[in-house]
Amino acid sequence: MKVVAALGGNAIVRYREGGTAEEQLGHIDAAVAPLAALVAAGHQVLVTHGNGPQVGDILLQNECAKDAVPRMPLDVCGAESQGMIGYMVQQCMANRLSAAGLDLPIATVLTRTLVERSDPAFARPSKAIGPYYTAPEARALGASERWTMREEGGRGWRRVVPSPAPREVLEVRAIRSLFESGAVVIAGGGGGVPVVREGDGRLAGVEAVVDKDLAAERIAAGIGADLLLILTDVRGAYRRFGTAEEELIPVMDAAEAKRLLAAGEFAEGSMAPKVEAAVRFVRGGGQSAVIAHLDDAEKAVRGRAGTRITA
């Protein structure tokens, strides 16, 4: 089976941890273990991943060193995170496959995602990034950097950026070639670096964040994957999540998923884009998509865990 496995960024850095290289390597190794087992079982696997905590740290480093070195724009920070996380995933995957007696090529592809300058998201920045600021700091940054700032639940002010829809993954042909050659590919990190095509045809990076699950769907469709496996920190999609009556949904078709999305059953910014990505994938010709806990990856592929979405 051709599987695209999407790892959440918070599977790599846990809440209240410092985010040291050793901590991240440990979590990535644990996350990669079931994916390496899928490869050992004969499946082809492509790995995508989130990067929220890592980009947050890079932005904080920018702030701490802004008087010594220039700030890097968000698109460059996203590219930095792809290299860092991709290296760690490659290292852990290589060690796991070697222990299983397998010698397969593993490659990380620095990935750009094309978005539209006309996307309504650019008029409504919504994705909080980077460190927290005091109100005076936020006002100053809003004026000097032209950042959009938003107060976050009494914890301070943060910058918010647009989250436009992914139109095309620009490296998909290279990704497909590597994947079809038998390589384990890491691509689409953090949803890819968002770029727009200017009027003269040139590409330019933009300060935005592409949802990683929606970008994973674009990659899965582009390489002809059979299964989109979205791995997270809950057991699947739930009705009435977070209440005493919450109920795991073991299987639903695309029509039911869209109905529940429209009814607001799934939280924006967390489960909703996962379900939306799954629906797009199966309606585009994919066999099925599964949303499952990271620990249940192998069982989810066999249909024994998570929420399975079908056309």
Side-chain angles (χ1 to χ4, degrees):
M1 190 182 297
K2 297 177 181 178
V3 180
V4 169
L7 300 175
N10 289 316
I12 303 169
V13 175
R14 303 293 170 85
Y15 183 59
R16 294 191 183 280
E17 284 187 343
T20 66
E22 292 77 14
E23 287 171 343
Q24 294 189 56
L25 272 167
H27 295 317
I28 288 173
D29 185 55
V32 161
L35 304 183
L38 292 177
V39 176
H43 301 291
Q44 288 179 267
V45 175
L46 182 148
V47 183
T48 74
H49 59 81
N51 67 348
Q54 293 77 18
V55 167
D57 286 348
I58 292 169
L59 291 170
L60 181 57
Q61 291 163 0
N62 268 350
E63 288 302 297
C64 292
K66 66 181 183 295
D67 296 326
V69 295
R71 280 193 186 103
M72 290 293 106
L74 182 57
D75 56 320
V76 174
C77 294
E80 288 182 39
S81 75
Q82 284 192 34
M84 177 182 71
I85 301 170
Y87 156 69
M88 292 183 175
V89 174
Q90 278 185 239
Q91 192 91 315
C92 295
M93 181 66 76
N95 289 336
R96 289 281 178 176
L97 294 181
S98 178
L102 296 173
D103 180 18
L104 294 175
I106 306 168
T108 296
V109 178
L110 181 63
T111 309
R112 298 165 299 161
T113 301
L114 186 67
V115 300
E116 298 290 343
R117 181 81 74 179
S118 60
D119 192 302
F122 283 103
R124 297 191 299 273
S126 60
K127 183 71 174 179
I129 62 166
Y132 290 88
Y133 299 95
T134 65
E137 288 172 333
R139 285 193 294 270
L141 286 168
S144 65
E145 303 296 328
R146 297 185 178 179
W147 289 354
T148 301
M149 309 297 290
R150 182 177 73 193
E151 190 171 14
E152 292 280 295
R155 299 176 64 187
W157 291 72
R158 293 180 80 191
R159 183 185 177 193
V160 289
V161 298
S163 184
R167 298 301 179 191
E168 178 186 352
V169 172
L170 295 179
E171 281 67 38
V172 73
R173 286 184 296 171
I175 292 167
R176 185 169 58 241
S177 293
L178 284 165
F179 189 71
E180 290 177 349
S181 76
V184 177
V185 183
I186 301 104
V193 178
V195 301
V196 295
R197 197 175 298 280
E198 304 289 19
D200 60 3
R202 292 183 308 111
L203 293 166
V206 289
E207 300 227 327
V209 174
V210 177
D211 182 84
K212 65 178 177 55
D213 297 311
L214 296 179
E217 183 277 328
R218 293 284 74 210
I219 293 174
I223 67 170
D226 303 308
L227 174 68
L228 175 59
L229 179 61
I230 300 175
L231 299 171
T232 184
D233 57 358
V234 293
R235 298 295 169 186
Y238 286 78
R239 289 186 178 85
R240 301 175 295 279
F241 181 71
T243 73
E245 292 81 32
E246 69 177 23
E247 175 189 9
L248 179 68
I249 305 169
V251 63
M252 57 181 164
D253 63 20
E256 174 70 359
K258 290 294 285 184
R259 187 187 70 77
L260 293 174
L261 277 167
E265 191 73 60
F266 307 121
E268 292 295 329
S270 57
M271 187 55 68
K274 293 174 173 54
V275 174
E276 181 62 40
V279 169
R280 292 183 187 184
F281 178 66
V282 297
R283 284 188 167 173
Q287 290 183 14
S288 64
V290 180
I291 301 167
H293 195 283
L294 182 65
D295 296 340
D296 295 336
E298 292 179 82
K299 290 192 293 183
V301 168
R302 297 195 297 269
R304 294 169 51 194
T307 298
R308 183 171 295 269
I309 295 95
T310 65

Short mmCIF file of all heavy atoms in Angstrom, two decimals, residues 215-279:
data_model
loop_
_atom_site.label_atom_id
_atom_site.label_comp_id
_atom_site.label_asym_id
_atom_site.label_seq_id
_atom_site.Cartn_x
_atom_site.Cartn_y
_atom_site.Cartn_z
N ALA A 215 -2.00 20.30 3.13
CA ALA A 215 -0.86 20.14 2.23
C ALA A 215 -0.52 18.66 2.05
O ALA A 215 -0.14 18.22 0.95
CB ALA A 215 0.36 20.89 2.77
N ALA A 216 -0.65 17.87 3.11
CA ALA A 216 -0.41 16.42 3.01
C ALA A 216 -1.37 15.79 2.01
O ALA A 216 -0.99 14.89 1.25
CB ALA A 216 -0.55 15.76 4.37
N GLU A 217 -2.61 16.28 1.97
CA GLU A 217 -3.57 15.76 0.99
C GLU A 217 -3.11 16.06 -0.42
O GLU A 217 -3.26 15.22 -1.32
CB GLU A 217 -4.95 16.38 1.25
CG GLU A 217 -6.04 15.87 0.33
CD GLU A 217 -6.10 16.57 -1.02
OE1 GLU A 217 -5.77 17.77 -1.08
OE2 GLU A 217 -6.46 15.91 -2.03
N ARG A 218 -2.56 17.25 -0.65
CA ARG A 218 -2.08 17.61 -1.98
C ARG A 218 -0.94 16.67 -2.41
O ARG A 218 -0.85 16.26 -3.56
CB ARG A 218 -1.59 19.06 -2.01
CG ARG A 218 -2.66 20.14 -1.83
CD ARG A 218 -3.51 20.34 -3.08
NE ARG A 218 -4.47 19.24 -3.28
CZ ARG A 218 -4.90 18.83 -4.44
NH1 ARG A 218 -4.48 19.41 -5.56
NH2 ARG A 218 -5.78 17.84 -4.54
N ILE A 219 -0.05 16.35 -1.46
CA ILE A 219 1.04 15.43 -1.77
C ILE A 219 0.50 14.03 -2.03
O ILE A 219 0.89 13.35 -2.98
CB ILE A 219 2.07 15.42 -0.63
CG1 ILE A 219 2.79 16.77 -0.55
CG2 ILE A 219 3.09 14.29 -0.82
CD1 ILE A 219 3.72 16.91 0.63
N ALA A 220 -0.41 13.58 -1.16
CA ALA A 220 -0.98 12.23 -1.31
C ALA A 220 -1.66 12.07 -2.66
O ALA A 220 -1.50 11.05 -3.35
CB ALA A 220 -1.96 11.94 -0.17
N ALA A 221 -2.41 13.08 -3.07
CA ALA A 221 -3.07 13.03 -4.38
C ALA A 221 -2.03 13.04 -5.49
O ALA A 221 -2.16 12.33 -6.49
CB ALA A 221 -4.03 14.20 -4.53
N GLY A 222 -0.98 13.85 -5.32
CA GLY A 222 0.02 14.01 -6.35
C GLY A 222 0.88 12.78 -6.60
O GLY A 222 1.39 12.61 -7.70
N ILE A 223 1.03 11.93 -5.60
CA ILE A 223 1.85 10.72 -5.77
C ILE A 223 1.00 9.47 -5.95
O ILE A 223 1.53 8.36 -6.05
CB ILE A 223 2.84 10.53 -4.60
CG1 ILE A 223 2.10 10.21 -3.30
CG2 ILE A 223 3.76 11.73 -4.44
CD1 ILE A 223 3.03 9.76 -2.18
N GLY A 224 -0.31 9.64 -5.96
CA GLY A 224 -1.19 8.49 -6.15
C GLY A 224 -1.24 7.56 -4.95
O GLY A 224 -1.31 6.33 -5.10
N ALA A 225 -1.23 8.14 -3.74
CA ALA A 225 -1.28 7.32 -2.53
C ALA A 225 -2.62 6.60 -2.40
O ALA A 225 -3.65 7.08 -2.88
CB ALA A 225 -1.03 8.18 -1.30
N ASP A 226 -2.58 5.45 -1.74
CA ASP A 226 -3.80 4.71 -1.44
C ASP A 226 -4.45 5.19 -0.15
O ASP A 226 -5.67 5.22 -0.02
CB ASP A 226 -3.50 3.20 -1.29
CG ASP A 226 -2.85 2.62 -2.52
OD1 ASP A 226 -3.40 2.80 -3.62
OD2 ASP A 226 -1.77 2.00 -2.40
N LEU A 227 -3.61 5.54 0.82
CA LEU A 227 -4.08 5.87 2.17
C LEU A 227 -3.42 7.14 2.65
O LEU A 227 -2.20 7.30 2.58
CB LEU A 227 -3.75 4.73 3.14
CG LEU A 227 -4.07 4.97 4.62
CD1 LEU A 227 -5.57 5.05 4.86
CD2 LEU A 227 -3.46 3.87 5.49
N LEU A 228 -4.24 8.07 3.18
CA LEU A 228 -3.76 9.25 3.90
C LEU A 228 -3.94 8.96 5.38
O LEU A 228 -5.07 8.85 5.85
CB LEU A 228 -4.52 10.50 3.48
CG LEU A 228 -4.20 11.79 4.24
CD1 LEU A 228 -2.72 12.16 4.11
CD2 LEU A 228 -5.08 12.94 3.76
N LEU A 229 -2.85 8.83 6.09
CA LEU A 229 -2.86 8.46 7.51
C LEU A 229 -2.47 9.69 8.33
O LEU A 229 -1.31 10.10 8.33
CB LEU A 229 -1.87 7.31 7.74
CG LEU A 229 -1.71 6.78 9.16
CD1 LEU A 229 -3.02 6.21 9.69
CD2 LEU A 229 -0.61 5.72 9.20
N ILE A 230 -3.44 10.29 9.01
CA ILE A 230 -3.22 11.51 9.78
C ILE A 230 -3.08 11.11 11.25
O ILE A 230 -4.04 10.66 11.88
CB ILE A 230 -4.37 12.51 9.58
CG1 ILE A 230 -4.46 12.89 8.09
CG2 ILE A 230 -4.15 13.75 10.43
CD1 ILE A 230 -5.64 13.79 7.76
N LEU A 231 -1.88 11.27 11.77
CA LEU A 231 -1.56 10.81 13.13
C LEU A 231 -1.50 12.00 14.08
O LEU A 231 -0.83 12.99 13.82
CB LEU A 231 -0.24 10.05 13.11
CG LEU A 231 -0.23 8.80 12.23
CD1 LEU A 231 1.16 8.23 12.09
CD2 LEU A 231 -1.20 7.75 12.79
N THR A 232 -2.19 11.87 15.20
CA THR A 232 -2.32 12.97 16.13
C THR A 232 -2.28 12.46 17.56
O THR A 232 -1.80 11.35 17.82
CB THR A 232 -3.63 13.73 15.81
OG1 THR A 232 -3.74 14.87 16.64
CG2 THR A 232 -4.86 12.84 15.93
N ASP A 233 -2.76 13.27 18.52
CA ASP A 233 -2.66 12.87 19.93
C ASP A 233 -4.01 12.46 20.52
O ASP A 233 -4.16 12.37 21.74
CB ASP A 233 -2.04 14.00 20.77
CG ASP A 233 -2.80 15.30 20.66
OD1 ASP A 233 -3.80 15.36 19.90
OD2 ASP A 233 -2.42 16.28 21.33
N VAL A 234 -5.01 12.24 19.65
CA VAL A 234 -6.29 11.68 20.10
C VAL A 234 -6.58 10.44 19.25
O VAL A 234 -5.93 10.20 18.24
CB VAL A 234 -7.45 12.70 19.98
CG1 VAL A 234 -7.24 13.85 20.95
CG2 VAL A 234 -7.59 13.21 18.55
N ARG A 235 -7.55 9.65 19.66
CA ARG A 235 -7.80 8.34 19.03
C ARG A 235 -8.51 8.44 17.69
O ARG A 235 -8.60 7.45 16.97
CB ARG A 235 -8.61 7.46 19.98
CG ARG A 235 -7.89 7.14 21.30
CD ARG A 235 -6.64 6.31 21.07
NE ARG A 235 -5.82 6.21 22.27
CZ ARG A 235 -4.62 5.64 22.31
NH1 ARG A 235 -4.10 5.14 21.20
NH2 ARG A 235 -3.93 5.61 23.42
N GLY A 236 -9.02 9.61 17.36
CA GLY A 236 -9.70 9.78 16.09
C GLY A 236 -10.62 10.98 16.16
O GLY A 236 -10.44 11.87 17.01
N ALA A 237 -11.61 11.03 15.28
CA ALA A 237 -12.61 12.10 15.30
C ALA A 237 -13.77 11.68 16.18
O ALA A 237 -14.22 10.53 16.13
CB ALA A 237 -13.09 12.39 13.87
N TYR A 238 -14.26 12.62 16.97
CA TYR A 238 -15.31 12.33 17.93
C TYR A 238 -16.54 13.20 17.67
O TYR A 238 -16.43 14.35 17.23
CB TYR A 238 -14.84 12.65 19.36
CG TYR A 238 -13.86 11.66 19.94
CD1 TYR A 238 -12.52 11.69 19.58
CD2 TYR A 238 -14.28 10.72 20.88
CE1 TYR A 238 -11.60 10.79 20.13
CE2 TYR A 238 -13.37 9.82 21.44
CZ TYR A 238 -12.05 9.87 21.06
OH TYR A 238 -11.15 8.98 21.61
N ARG A 239 -17.69 12.64 17.99
CA ARG A 239 -18.88 13.46 18.19
C ARG A 239 -18.84 13.99 19.61
O ARG A 239 -18.44 13.29 20.54
CB ARG A 239 -20.16 12.65 17.98
CG ARG A 239 -20.45 12.26 16.53
CD ARG A 239 -21.81 11.58 16.41
NE ARG A 239 -22.14 11.25 15.02
CZ ARG A 239 -21.75 10.14 14.41
NH1 ARG A 239 -21.02 9.24 15.07
NH2 ARG A 239 -22.08 9.92 13.15
N ARG A 240 -19.24 15.26 19.76
CA ARG A 240 -19.34 15.89 21.09
C ARG A 240 -18.02 15.79 21.85
O ARG A 240 -17.99 15.52 23.06
CB ARG A 240 -20.49 15.27 21.90
CG ARG A 240 -21.85 15.40 21.22
CD ARG A 240 -22.95 14.68 21.98
NE ARG A 240 -22.73 13.22 21.99
CZ ARG A 240 -23.05 12.41 20.99
NH1 ARG A 240 -23.63 12.88 19.91
NH2 ARG A 240 -22.81 11.11 21.06
N PHE A 241 -16.91 16.03 21.15
CA PHE A 241 -15.59 15.89 21.77
C PHE A 241 -15.46 16.82 22.99
O PHE A 241 -15.88 17.97 22.96
CB PHE A 241 -14.49 16.22 20.77
CG PHE A 241 -13.10 16.08 21.31
CD1 PHE A 241 -12.58 14.83 21.59
CD2 PHE A 241 -12.32 17.20 21.57
CE1 PHE A 241 -11.30 14.68 22.09
CE2 PHE A 241 -11.03 17.06 22.08
CZ PHE A 241 -10.52 15.80 22.34
N GLY A 242 -14.86 16.29 24.05
CA GLY A 242 -14.62 17.08 25.24
C GLY A 242 -15.77 17.14 26.21
O GLY A 242 -15.69 17.81 27.25
N THR A 243 -16.86 16.44 25.89
CA THR A 243 -18.01 16.39 26.80
C THR A 243 -18.12 14.99 27.40
O THR A 243 -17.44 14.06 26.98
CB THR A 243 -19.32 16.72 26.07
OG1 THR A 243 -19.67 15.61 25.22
CG2 THR A 243 -19.16 17.97 25.21
N ALA A 244 -19.01 14.85 28.36
CA ALA A 244 -19.24 13.54 28.98
C ALA A 244 -19.83 12.55 27.99
O ALA A 244 -19.75 11.33 28.20
CB ALA A 244 -20.15 13.69 30.20
N GLU A 245 -20.41 13.07 26.90
CA GLU A 245 -21.05 12.20 25.90
C GLU A 245 -20.18 12.00 24.65
O GLU A 245 -20.68 11.57 23.61
CB GLU A 245 -22.41 12.77 25.48
CG GLU A 245 -23.47 12.75 26.57
CD GLU A 245 -23.31 13.92 27.53
OE1 GLU A 245 -22.86 15.00 27.09
OE2 GLU A 245 -23.62 13.74 28.73
N GLU A 246 -18.89 12.30 24.72
CA GLU A 246 -18.08 12.18 23.51
C GLU A 246 -18.06 10.73 23.03
O GLU A 246 -18.08 9.78 23.81
CB GLU A 246 -16.65 12.68 23.76
CG GLU A 246 -15.81 11.83 24.66
CD GLU A 246 -14.38 12.36 24.79
OE1 GLU A 246 -14.16 13.56 24.56
OE2 GLU A 246 -13.49 11.57 25.14
N GLU A 247 -18.02 10.59 21.70
CA GLU A 247 -18.14 9.26 21.08
C GLU A 247 -17.20 9.20 19.87
O GLU A 247 -17.32 10.01 18.95
CB GLU A 247 -19.58 9.03 20.65
CG GLU A 247 -19.82 7.74 19.89
CD GLU A 247 -21.21 7.67 19.30
OE1 GLU A 247 -21.94 8.70 19.32
OE2 GLU A 247 -21.58 6.60 18.79
N LEU A 248 -16.30 8.25 19.88
CA LEU A 248 -15.41 8.06 18.75
C LEU A 248 -16.20 7.60 17.53
O LEU A 248 -17.07 6.73 17.63
CB LEU A 248 -14.33 7.01 19.09
CG LEU A 248 -13.34 6.69 17.96
CD1 LEU A 248 -12.44 7.89 17.68
CD2 LEU A 248 -12.50 5.47 18.33
N ILE A 249 -15.90 8.19 16.38
CA ILE A 249 -16.54 7.80 15.13
C ILE A 249 -15.61 6.81 14.43
O ILE A 249 -14.56 7.20 13.92
CB ILE A 249 -16.79 9.02 14.23
CG1 ILE A 249 -17.58 10.09 14.96
CG2 ILE A 249 -17.49 8.60 12.93
CD1 ILE A 249 -17.63 11.42 14.24
N PRO A 250 -15.95 5.52 14.36
CA PRO A 250 -15.02 4.56 13.77
C PRO A 250 -14.93 4.67 12.25
O PRO A 250 -13.86 4.43 11.67
CB PRO A 250 -15.59 3.20 14.20
CG PRO A 250 -17.02 3.46 14.50
CD PRO A 250 -17.12 4.87 14.97
N VAL A 251 -16.04 5.02 11.59
CA VAL A 251 -16.02 5.13 10.13
C VAL A 251 -17.12 6.10 9.70
O VAL A 251 -18.18 6.17 10.33
CB VAL A 251 -16.20 3.75 9.45
CG1 VAL A 251 -17.56 3.15 9.77
CG2 VAL A 251 -15.99 3.85 7.94
N MET A 252 -16.85 6.88 8.67
CA MET A 252 -17.88 7.74 8.07
C MET A 252 -17.51 7.99 6.62
O MET A 252 -16.34 7.97 6.25
CB MET A 252 -18.03 9.06 8.84
CG MET A 252 -16.78 9.90 8.97
SD MET A 252 -17.11 11.41 9.93
CE MET A 252 -15.42 11.92 10.33
N ASP A 253 -18.54 8.22 5.81
CA ASP A 253 -18.25 8.53 4.42
C ASP A 253 -18.09 10.04 4.28
O ASP A 253 -18.32 10.81 5.22
CB ASP A 253 -19.30 7.96 3.47
CG ASP A 253 -20.69 8.54 3.68
OD1 ASP A 253 -20.81 9.63 4.27
OD2 ASP A 253 -21.66 7.90 3.24
N ALA A 254 -17.69 10.47 3.08
CA ALA A 254 -17.38 11.88 2.86
C ALA A 254 -18.59 12.77 3.10
O ALA A 254 -18.47 13.86 3.64
CB ALA A 254 -16.84 12.07 1.46
N ALA A 255 -19.77 12.30 2.70
CA ALA A 255 -20.98 13.11 2.87
C ALA A 255 -21.28 13.35 4.35
O ALA A 255 -21.61 14.47 4.76
CB ALA A 255 -22.16 12.44 2.19
N GLU A 256 -21.15 12.31 5.16
CA GLU A 256 -21.38 12.45 6.59
C GLU A 256 -20.33 13.36 7.22
O GLU A 256 -20.64 14.20 8.08
CB GLU A 256 -21.37 11.07 7.26
CG GLU A 256 -21.47 11.09 8.79
CD GLU A 256 -22.83 11.53 9.32
OE1 GLU A 256 -23.73 11.84 8.51
OE2 GLU A 256 -22.99 11.55 10.55
N ALA A 257 -19.09 13.22 6.79
CA ALA A 257 -18.02 14.06 7.33
C ALA A 257 -18.28 15.53 7.01
O ALA A 257 -18.10 16.40 7.87
CB ALA A 257 -16.67 13.62 6.75
N LYS A 258 -18.72 15.82 5.78
CA LYS A 258 -19.02 17.21 5.42
C LYS A 258 -20.20 17.75 6.22
O LYS A 258 -20.21 18.93 6.62
CB LYS A 258 -19.32 17.30 3.92
CG LYS A 258 -18.11 17.08 3.03
CD LYS A 258 -17.05 18.18 3.17
CE LYS A 258 -17.45 19.46 2.50
NZ LYS A 258 -16.34 20.47 2.57
N ARG A 259 -21.18 16.89 6.47
CA ARG A 259 -22.34 17.33 7.27
C ARG A 259 -21.89 17.71 8.69
O ARG A 259 -22.31 18.74 9.23
CB ARG A 259 -23.39 16.22 7.31
CG ARG A 259 -24.71 16.65 7.98
CD ARG A 259 -25.65 15.48 8.16
NE ARG A 259 -25.19 14.54 9.17
CZ ARG A 259 -25.29 14.74 10.49
NH1 ARG A 259 -25.83 15.86 10.95
NH2 ARG A 259 -24.86 13.83 11.33
N LEU A 260 -21.03 16.88 9.28
CA LEU A 260 -20.56 17.16 10.64
C LEU A 260 -19.64 18.38 10.66
O LEU A 260 -19.65 19.15 11.63
CB LEU A 260 -19.84 15.93 11.19
CG LEU A 260 -20.74 14.70 11.44
CD1 LEU A 260 -19.89 13.49 11.84
CD2 LEU A 260 -21.79 15.00 12.51
N LEU A 261 -18.86 18.57 9.61
CA LEU A 261 -18.03 19.77 9.51
C LEU A 261 -18.92 21.02 9.49
O LEU A 261 -18.66 22.00 10.21
CB LEU A 261 -17.16 19.72 8.26
CG LEU A 261 -15.86 18.94 8.33
CD1 LEU A 261 -15.30 18.74 6.92
CD2 LEU A 261 -14.83 19.66 9.19
N ALA A 262 -19.94 20.98 8.66
CA ALA A 262 -20.84 22.13 8.53
C ALA A 262 -21.58 22.42 9.83
O ALA A 262 -21.90 23.58 10.14
CB ALA A 262 -21.84 21.90 7.41
N ALA A 263 -21.82 21.37 10.62
CA ALA A 263 -22.52 21.54 11.89
C ALA A 263 -21.59 22.01 13.01
O ALA A 263 -22.05 22.22 14.13
CB ALA A 263 -23.18 20.21 12.29
N GLY A 264 -20.29 22.16 12.71
CA GLY A 264 -19.35 22.62 13.73
C GLY A 264 -18.94 21.55 14.72
O GLY A 264 -18.49 21.86 15.82
N GLU A 265 -19.08 20.28 14.32
CA GLU A 265 -18.77 19.18 15.24
C GLU A 265 -17.28 19.08 15.52
O GLU A 265 -16.87 18.61 16.60
CB GLU A 265 -19.26 17.87 14.63
CG GLU A 265 -19.25 16.69 15.58
CD GLU A 265 -20.35 16.77 16.65
OE1 GLU A 265 -21.54 16.81 16.29
OE2 GLU A 265 -19.99 16.79 17.84
N PHE A 266 -16.44 19.54 14.60
CA PHE A 266 -14.99 19.40 14.74
C PHE A 266 -14.35 20.79 14.91
O PHE A 266 -14.68 21.72 14.17
CB PHE A 266 -14.40 18.70 13.51
CG PHE A 266 -15.08 17.40 13.19
CD1 PHE A 266 -15.70 17.20 11.96
CD2 PHE A 266 -15.13 16.38 14.13
CE1 PHE A 266 -16.34 16.01 11.66
CE2 PHE A 266 -15.78 15.18 13.85
CZ PHE A 266 -16.38 15.00 12.61
N ALA A 267 -13.42 20.88 15.84
CA ALA A 267 -12.84 22.17 16.21
C ALA A 267 -11.99 22.74 15.08
O ALA A 267 -11.17 22.05 14.48
CB ALA A 267 -12.00 22.02 17.47
N GLU A 268 -12.19 24.03 14.80
CA GLU A 268 -11.36 24.73 13.82
C GLU A 268 -9.92 24.75 14.29
O GLU A 268 -9.63 24.92 15.47
CB GLU A 268 -11.85 26.16 13.62
CG GLU A 268 -13.21 26.27 12.96
CD GLU A 268 -13.21 25.76 11.52
OE1 GLU A 268 -12.15 25.89 10.87
OE2 GLU A 268 -14.24 25.23 11.08
N GLY A 269 -9.00 24.57 13.37
CA GLY A 269 -7.58 24.64 13.71
C GLY A 269 -7.03 23.38 14.32
O GLY A 269 -5.82 23.28 14.57
N SER A 270 -7.88 22.37 14.57
CA SER A 270 -7.36 21.11 15.12
C SER A 270 -7.95 19.94 14.34
O SER A 270 -7.34 19.44 13.39
CB SER A 270 -7.66 21.00 16.62
OG SER A 270 -9.05 21.12 16.87
N MET A 271 -9.16 19.48 14.68
CA MET A 271 -9.73 18.32 13.99
C MET A 271 -10.37 18.69 12.66
O MET A 271 -10.34 17.89 11.71
CB MET A 271 -10.74 17.61 14.89
CG MET A 271 -11.27 16.30 14.34
SD MET A 271 -9.97 15.11 13.90
CE MET A 271 -9.33 14.69 15.54
N ALA A 272 -10.93 19.89 12.54
CA ALA A 272 -11.63 20.25 11.30
C ALA A 272 -10.74 20.14 10.06
O ALA A 272 -11.16 19.54 9.06
CB ALA A 272 -12.23 21.65 11.42
N PRO A 273 -9.52 20.70 10.05
CA PRO A 273 -8.71 20.56 8.83
C PRO A 273 -8.29 19.11 8.55
O PRO A 273 -8.10 18.74 7.38
CB PRO A 273 -7.50 21.45 9.09
CG PRO A 273 -7.46 21.68 10.55
CD PRO A 273 -8.88 21.61 11.01
N LYS A 274 -8.18 18.30 9.57
CA LYS A 274 -7.87 16.88 9.35
C LYS A 274 -9.01 16.19 8.62
O LYS A 274 -8.79 15.42 7.67
CB LYS A 274 -7.58 16.20 10.69
CG LYS A 274 -6.31 16.69 11.38
CD LYS A 274 -6.16 16.09 12.77
CE LYS A 274 -4.82 16.44 13.40
NZ LYS A 274 -4.53 17.88 13.44
N VAL A 275 -10.23 16.44 9.08
CA VAL A 275 -11.39 15.83 8.43
C VAL A 275 -11.53 16.38 7.02
O VAL A 275 -11.82 15.63 6.07
CB VAL A 275 -12.66 16.07 9.27
CG1 VAL A 275 -13.90 15.57 8.53
CG2 VAL A 275 -12.54 15.37 10.63
N GLU A 276 -11.33 17.68 6.85
CA GLU A 276 -11.44 18.27 5.52
C GLU A 276 -10.40 17.68 4.57
O GLU A 276 -10.70 17.37 3.41
CB GLU A 276 -11.26 19.79 5.60
CG GLU A 276 -11.37 20.51 4.27
CD GLU A 276 -12.73 20.37 3.62
OE1 GLU A 276 -13.76 20.43 4.32
OE2 GLU A 276 -12.76 20.20 2.38
N ALA A 277 -9.17 17.49 5.05
CA ALA A 277 -8.13 16.88 4.21
C ALA A 277 -8.52 15.46 3.82
O ALA A 277 -8.33 15.04 2.67
CB ALA A 277 -6.80 16.89 4.96
N ALA A 278 -9.07 14.72 4.78
CA ALA A 278 -9.48 13.35 4.50
C ALA A 278 -10.58 13.32 3.44
O ALA A 278 -10.56 12.49 2.51
CB ALA A 278 -9.98 12.69 5.79
N VAL A 279 -11.55 14.22 3.54
CA VAL A 279 -12.64 14.27 2.57
C VAL A 279 -12.10 14.60 1.18
O VAL A 279 -12.47 13.96 0.18
CB VAL A 279 -13.70 15.31 3.01
CG1 VAL A 279 -14.70 15.57 1.88
CG2 VAL A 279 -14.43 14.82 4.25
#
